[in-house]
Amino acid sequence: MGMSTRGKVGWLIATLLVLVWSLFPVFSILMTSFKTQDGLFSGTLLPPEWTFENYAEILAPGGSAQDLFLPALRNSIGISLISTFIAVVLATFCAYAIARLDFRGKKLILTSALAVSVFPVVSIVTPLFNLWRSVGLYDTWAGLIIPYLSLTLPISIWTLSAFFRQIPWELEQAAQVDGATPFVAFRKAVVPLAAPGVFTSAIIAFFIAWNDFVYGISLTSTTAARPVPAALSFFTGASQFEEPTGAISAAAIVVTVPVVVVVLIFQRRIVSGLTQGAVKG
Amino acid sequence: MASITLDNVVKTYPDGFTAVRGVDLDIADGEFVILVGPSGCGKSTLLRMIVGLEDITEGELRIGDEVVNDKAPRDRNLAMVFQNYALYPHLTVYENIAFPLRLNKGEFTDTEIDERVRNASALLELDEHLERKPANLSGGQRQRVAMGRAIVRNAQAFLFDEPLSNLDAKLRGQMRTEIARLQRNLGTTTVYVTHDQTEAMTLGDRVAVLRRGELQQVASPRGLYEQPTNLFVAGFIGSPPMNFLPAKVEGDSLRLPTFEVPMDDRLKRAVGDRDVLIVGVRPDAFEDTDIMQETKEGLTFEVEVDVTEWLGEVLYAYVPFEASSEVNKQLEELDRDLDGESMRPQLVVALDATSQVRAGDVAELWLSPDSLYVFDPETGENLTRDEATAEKLEEEARDQRARALERAKQRREKARTQEGSAA
């Protein structure tokens, strides 16, 4: 890359600005989570007095928010993983068909997927609330997984079909000529190349489910299915005169950790340009 | 190894477009056949039908004695080299070449696979690249890996789909000779698709020229060049292409835009009772009278040279001419069929490089009437085609081919006995 020194410095400054802009709030919450009840109002960024009592409150046995937080964490992880898994598996087949086959209604699938994903969540949450209550899905895992799929499936279909389109069809045909059945060709020539795309859309789908608040608060009522973002709003202080800011900050940090871990694990797999070298270059 | 027989093969797509219209072609065991034609002539479709990636709408395809119309690609035991190479980017060069062997589980042991891969890589000089990924290879190396994948198993035939079109000109020349050498050594039946007539002429034992899904002529390169069946083949084969001139019969001579040809018996027979014709003449049929060694019998005439191109081994002179005639429509259509975009009618003349003719000169050129081709303006049929000579050319080509195959066989056997005595 023939980039001048000035260009490099420019990019460096821009990158730093973006990093500070996006990471400062996280840092601020992290610091808040270490503050004592009194320290919350100190007005300083760093806690005047460091403490783990906020974490103890949400995680340790006997903590005031523990029975609210831990079931919510379990719900969030379970619901998000299941809806991610279903979305990615369905979207893989769907996107493969869209990328490879020529069939009627292909455009319709893509446009309706797009329409569903831009449809405002708040406008369907009330009808869903009534419907779920009458069919018995209210306050269950399935009751959240289904609406989450409506958010995660479209985006997965779109990212994956774009990804499959990049994989040269000749690879599968070459495999078939080399002696593979269509399914073996798919498994040996396409799946290894599609893996980064699958992981990318899995992560996006997971985040969508993980971050949802509107469905989480409206379609649950107990710890049976309530996810973390919703549970946070039920935090109370030790007394009604105490703000639960510290505990909420600690919980926010705890739910951020899995996201960071997931990204770090799959970072290596999301290497773009893996198809490079398949064809002419 | 096996022969491939196409019997009235037709391809019609679901949208009604017919890409291949009834092609009959016999490809003998061990033969190298080229499918050539301008873009959209159906040559790639035909190849993909042979390998099984396209369904055959009508007709019969036989490999050996077996009808394979309904067989899946994997059951046809053919090897194909794709235009884009289609290497598996997640596998090393070694694993790319071993891929077809590994698919047939249980058929080969690991040592056998290793031996075959190393043989192929030695043949293609890929030994030092075996552990690299395709992304780190140059275009020519990728091309060789794709060929390695094809030759590693004993396929009944090799199919090439424009394998050199992504390489630069120099590499293309090298790979062309490489493919020719490989095919001669292995003696495997090969079908090769290209739009490049140099590849077609240099590689093929026989060349099948296609136009709009129809087979125009199947012949040896020399047969195509010297005895084309029609206007299209004559215009397609040869570079620079054959000149086509409108001609009118005036008494005992043919009136062309730049000169007049008295008709001898051969031409009279060809012309018959037609009075408008298309005359074809190869650029290298002309000579500059100034540098002719001896006076030969033929026509001499003066032309005004518009542009010249001196290339070291040859000098091209361009002579514009007025073309107001009944056959213009025919010639324009031909030009479109050949992917051409000629702006104005002009004669291309290839002269000896020592010729002093330059742009703007009036040059005196020599031409033998024997080198003229005469075509029917309606059907495009070559009226001067001599079946006996054409058949003789094919026979010669067959003999040459048989000798080359025999030599290759002897070399292989010699190598084997040497290997045996060394071990």
Side-chain angles (χ1 to χ4, degrees):
Chain A
M1 283 261 269
M3 203 190 275
S4 65
T5 322
R6 256 182 67 190
K8 276 184 194 157
V9 171
W11 274 109
L12 191 71
I13 292 171
T15 312
L16 280 177
L17 278 176
V18 171
L19 275 179
V20 169
W21 172 265
S22 51
L23 287 183
F24 179 76
V26 179
F27 181 72
S28 170
I29 291 172
L30 181 68
M31 288 304 114
T32 308
S33 72
F34 289 119
K35 285 177 181 169
T36 58
Q37 191 61 36
D38 297 335
L40 284 177
F41 305 100
S42 65
T44 56
L45 181 61
L46 298 178
E49 201 183 333
W50 293 72
T51 174
F52 280 101
E53 71 183 31
N54 293 319
Y55 288 92
E57 212 171 301
I58 58 167
L59 295 173
S64 67
Q66 191 242 12
D67 55 345
L68 211 54
F69 182 71
L70 282 187
L73 193 60
R74 200 189 59 223
N75 289 338
S76 262
I77 292 173
I79 291 170
S80 301
L81 281 182
I82 292 173
S83 47
T84 302
F85 179 76
I86 296 176
V88 167
V89 170
L90 289 182
T92 302
F93 291 130
C94 181
Y96 183 74
I98 284 171
R100 284 290 186 262
L101 307 177
D102 215 14
F103 57 91
R104 282 170 60 137
K106 188 160 128 178
K107 270 232 168 80
L108 188 74
I109 291 181
L110 281 176
T111 40
S112 57
L114 189 67
V116 167
S117 63
V118 298
F119 210 74
V121 166
V122 274
S123 62
I124 51 169
V125 74
T126 314
L128 262 188
F129 171 77
N130 285 323
L131 183 65
W132 266 202
R133 285 217 307 179
S134 49
V135 299
L137 281 173
Y138 182 71
D139 203 23
T140 62
W141 277 24
L144 280 184
I145 288 171
I146 293 168
Y148 284 175
L149 280 180
S150 76
L151 300 176
T152 54
L153 252 182
I155 189 96
S156 304
I157 290 174
W158 273 87
T159 41
L160 277 172
S161 61
F163 212 88
F164 279 131
R165 263 189 222 121
Q166 286 180 358
I167 298 175
W169 200 345
E170 272 102 352
L171 285 184
E172 277 165 87
Q173 295 176 337
Q176 286 187 36
V177 174
D178 282 343
T181 60
F183 182 73
V184 171
F186 176 73
R187 192 166 59 82
K188 292 206 162 179
V190 174
V191 170
L193 296 179
V198 172
F199 282 116
T200 309
S201 49
I203 286 173
I204 295 173
F206 182 82
F207 290 166
I208 288 174
W210 186 256
N211 288 338
D212 167 76
F213 176 74
V214 177
Y215 285 134
I217 193 117
S218 316
L219 302 179
T220 60
S221 59
T222 67
T223 54
R226 186 184 289 142
V228 172
L232 289 187
S233 65
F234 286 91
F235 278 21
T236 53
S239 71
Q240 58 173 332
F241 303 109
E242 259 176 44
E243 286 285 340
T245 314
I248 289 176
S249 301
I253 293 300
V254 170
V255 296
T256 309
V257 170
V259 173
V260 175
V261 170
V262 165
V263 170
L264 286 182
I265 288 175
F266 292 123
Q267 185 197 30
R268 236 166 40 85
R269 311 293 313 251
I270 320 172
V271 193
S272 62
L274 200 71
T275 56
Q276 218 184 12
V279 296
K280 63 170 175 168
Chain B
M1 271 166 265
S3 61
I4 299 173
T5 312
L6 288 86
D7 195 355
N8 194 24
V9 164
V10 176
K11 174 72 193 184
T12 305
Y13 284 104
D15 62 3
F17 176 71
T18 303
V20 175
R21 303 160 185 269
V23 167
D24 289 306
L25 187 59
D26 284 311
I27 300 165
D29 187 7
E31 197 176 21
F32 199 144
V33 167
I34 311 279
L35 303 178
V36 70
S39 51
C41 71
K43 53 191 190 296
S44 282
T45 311
L46 201 54
L47 190 79
R48 294 168 63 84
M49 281 156 88
I50 294 175
V51 79
L53 294 170
E54 298 280 358
D55 292 332
I56 296 169
T57 315
E58 255 177 70
E60 204 172 75
L61 170 68
R62 290 191 295 276
I63 298 175
D65 298 325
E66 202 181 351
V67 178
V68 295
N69 281 36
D70 298 322
K71 280 197 162 186
R74 65 175 183 280
D75 297 324
R76 298 192 187 187
N77 193 20
L78 304 171
M80 180 155 167
V81 175
F82 288 78
Q83 182 174 7
N84 294 331
Y85 319 143
L87 303 180
Y88 310 113
H90 56 294
L91 301 178
T92 60
V93 169
Y94 183 99
E95 284 303 323
N96 260 287
I97 298 177
F99 190 85
L101 303 177
R102 295 214 193 280
L103 279 177
N104 294 318
K105 275 207 190 77
E107 199 180 316
F108 302 99
T109 63
D110 279 352
T111 29
E112 269 174 326
I113 290 176
D114 190 64
E115 192 183 317
R116 279 163 170 264
V117 171
R118 297 208 180 266
N119 274 343
S121 91
L123 204 57
L124 295 161
E125 291 171 31
L126 283 167
D127 285 344
E128 60 210 283
H129 307 299
L130 281 178
E131 296 313 316
R132 295 169 75 188
K133 291 273 176 73
N136 304 324
L137 300 177
S138 71
Q141 288 163 345
R142 288 179 201 178
Q143 175 64 62
R144 295 211 296 273
V145 177
M147 274 161 56
R149 199 172 57 189
I151 64 173
V152 74
R153 67 204 166 99
N154 296 331
Q156 306 215 57
F158 296 150
L159 308 173
F160 291 86
D161 187 5
E162 308 216 17
L164 306 183
S165 56
N166 286 331
L167 301 178
D168 61 47
K170 189 172 166 229
L171 206 52
R172 203 178 304 159
Q174 292 168 352
M175 289 308 295
R176 200 172 63 214
T177 50
E178 206 49 52
I179 290 175
R181 185 172 304 134
L182 196 72
Q183 204 272 342
R184 291 282 182 277
N185 287 341
L186 298 172
T188 308
T189 314
T190 302
V191 186
Y192 186 107
V193 162
T194 181
H195 64 268
D196 181 301
Q197 54 134 328
T198 317
E199 283 172 34
M201 297 295 270
T202 52
L203 285 174
D205 295 321
R206 280 195 304 155
V207 181
V209 184
L210 286 148
R211 174 207 199 185
R212 296 185 192 162
E214 276 177 71
L215 207 52
Q216 303 292 304
Q217 186 174 3
V218 191
S220 64
R222 207 171 147 204
L224 289 182
Y225 188 81
E226 292 183 5
Q227 298 289 337
T229 51
N230 60 27
L231 206 53
F232 178 81
V233 176
F236 188 77
I237 300 293
S239 172
M242 185 186 274
N243 296 295
F244 292 119
L245 304 162
K248 255 196 174 126
V249 177
E250 282 179 5
D252 263 355
S253 55
L254 273 173
R255 175 83 235 156
L256 302 176
T258 43
F259 54 94
E260 208 173 83
V261 188
M263 289 194 281
D264 54 15
D265 285 351
R266 183 184 79 106
L267 289 178
K268 271 192 189 138
R269 237 181 300 126
V271 170
D273 55 358
R274 299 172 184 83
D275 39 82
V276 179
L277 299 126
I278 294 173
V279 164
V281 49
R282 297 261 178 219
D284 54 4
F286 297 93
E287 276 184 52
D288 180 357
T289 50
D290 286 349
I291 53 161
M292 271 172 77
Q293 301 294 332
E294 64 222 80
T295 45
K296 287 186 268 187
E297 221 175 292
L299 304 161
T300 52
F301 53 94
E302 290 193 336
V303 293
E304 221 169 294
V305 175
D306 184 24
V307 179
T308 54
E309 293 170 342
W310 187 80
L311 296 175
E313 78 280 14
V314 65
L315 175 92
Y316 291 127
Y318 295 86
V319 180
F321 62 83
E322 278 313 310
S324 50
S325 106
E326 295 93 323
V327 297
N328 267 0
K329 214 181 98 234
Q330 213 72 23
L331 290 175
E332 272 166 26
E333 194 188 321
L334 178 70
D335 192 47
R336 266 201 311 281
D337 270 357
L338 293 169
D339 294 340
E341 268 178 47
S342 55
M343 310 289 289
R344 57 179 68 90
Q346 59 180 5
L347 194 66
V348 185
V349 177
L351 300 175
D352 193 278
T354 56
S355 167
Q356 293 302 311
V357 173
R358 289 298 179 270
D361 287 349
V362 172
E364 197 185 32
L365 300 179
W366 172 90
L367 177 73
S368 162
D370 292 344
S371 59
L372 293 181
Y373 296 83
V374 178
F375 300 94
D376 185 304
E378 293 300 319
T379 60
E381 185 196 342
N382 179 3
L383 301 168
T384 40
R385 182 176 147 91
D386 181 357
E387 291 298 337
T389 317
E391 186 44 48
K392 210 167 128 244
L393 285 176
E394 293 312 297
E395 227 162 80
E396 275 172 26
R398 268 196 295 275
D399 288 349
Q400 285 165 9
R401 175 63 187 163
R403 283 206 302 277
L405 275 179
E406 188 55 36
R407 277 197 300 273
K409 203 172 144 197
Q410 280 167 4
R411 265 202 305 275
R412 273 204 305 276
E413 268 158 21
K414 206 170 144 198
R416 208 171 298 150
T417 46
Q418 273 172 356
E419 234 171 64
S421 61

